Amino acid sequence: MLDQVEKILTAYGVNIVSAARSNLTKLDNAGGPLADSLLSLVTEEADGSYLVTFLAEDYATFYDKGVQGAGPDRMPAGSKNRFNKAPLSPYHFGTGSSRGTTTLKGAIDKWVVRKGLDNTRNDLGQFIPRKSLVFLISRSIYLTGLRASLFFTTPFDFYTRQLEDDLQEALQRDIELIFGQSDQRNEFSINIS
């Protein structure tokens, strides 16, 4: 019923998804399953209100907000990464509350293969077996955490700040269209939630 409002909300979702994908490209995560999974949907509820829903892979929130490490002090002596990369994140490794279907090592193994890192050499020039590389990366991530990328939060906050003004203008246009097409203006009631 409120065509202009729906157009603004659709553009809002599309802009956020587009900017989030652009951020993933800048983070060297372009074309991955996360970028491909981003989607926004606008639905009109039974009470006349609108709902904007964002869909993504299960781990999108962790990548966006970061994850606290289980114990950066347990990293080997001399390691450069002996600090928590996301100390303010609401998520942290070691709780056992993950509901994901993939283990950390399994996901890292797929990532190593996709990035072509299986021919990596150590400081002495020796090849590191993929299994060892996956272990080292997984241990580092588990103990020190994942830095917050804010790939989604940044565009979401930006476009949400603009949304109120855009919605007011769209609602005004919708009201003008509704009342401009009716001879009996008292018949219409608009409920906006």
Side-chain angles (χ1 to χ4, degrees):
M1 181 171 162
L2 300 175
D3 294 337
Q4 299 302 314
V5 168
E6 190 170 342
K7 284 179 185 177
I8 291 296
L9 292 175
T10 300
Y12 165 76
V14 167
N15 288 337
I16 290 172
V17 167
S18 177
R21 285 184 178 147
S22 176
N23 289 342
L24 287 172
T25 300
K26 293 172 189 170
L27 294 166
D28 196 28
N29 195 355
L34 180 55
D36 294 342
S37 72
L38 292 174
L39 182 66
S40 67
L41 299 171
V42 177
T43 54
E44 185 175 359
E45 301 296 298
D47 64 358
S49 63
Y50 286 88
L51 178 66
V52 181
T53 306
F54 296 94
L55 304 173
E57 288 283 341
D58 291 341
Y59 61 89
T61 303
F62 302 122
Y63 193 71
D64 184 60
K65 302 283 187 199
V67 181
Q68 293 182 40
D73 55 326
R74 296 185 353 223
M75 285 292 287
S79 174
K80 297 174 186 175
N81 294 332
R82 291 182 62 99
F83 60 92
N84 203 330
K85 293 180 181 175
L88 302 177
S89 174
Y91 309 108
H92 50 90
F93 285 113
T95 62
S97 63
S98 173
R99 301 285 185 256
T101 57
T102 306
T103 64
L104 178 60
K105 282 186 182 178
I108 297 299
D109 187 47
K110 289 178 184 176
W111 179 81
V112 165
V113 171
R114 192 172 70 239
K115 292 292 185 179
L117 300 176
D118 51 351
N119 290 326
T120 305
R121 295 176 181 259
N122 64 14
D123 293 340
L124 302 174
Q126 301 165 325
F127 281 108
I128 301 173
R130 187 172 89 205
K131 189 174 181 179
S132 297
L133 184 62
V134 168
F135 168 78
L136 293 170
I137 294 171
S138 299
R139 178 184 66 181
S140 177
I141 291 172
Y142 178 78
L143 293 177
T144 63
L146 291 172
R147 189 177 322 277
S149 69
L150 303 177
F151 80 95
F152 183 83
T153 298
T154 302
F156 179 83
D157 290 347
F158 176 79
Y159 286 106
T160 300
R161 283 191 297 272
Q162 296 179 345
L163 184 61
E164 185 176 348
D165 291 338
D166 293 344
L167 279 176
Q168 285 179 352
E169 291 175 20
L171 183 58
Q172 183 177 352
R173 286 193 305 268
D174 277 332
I175 290 171
E176 289 169 359
L177 287 172
I178 289 169
F179 288 120
Q181 295 174 357
S182 172
D183 293 332
Q184 300 174 351
R185 295 180 184 211
N186 294 332
E187 289 182 19
F188 291 97
S189 66
I190 298 174
N191 178 13
I192 298 180
S193 306

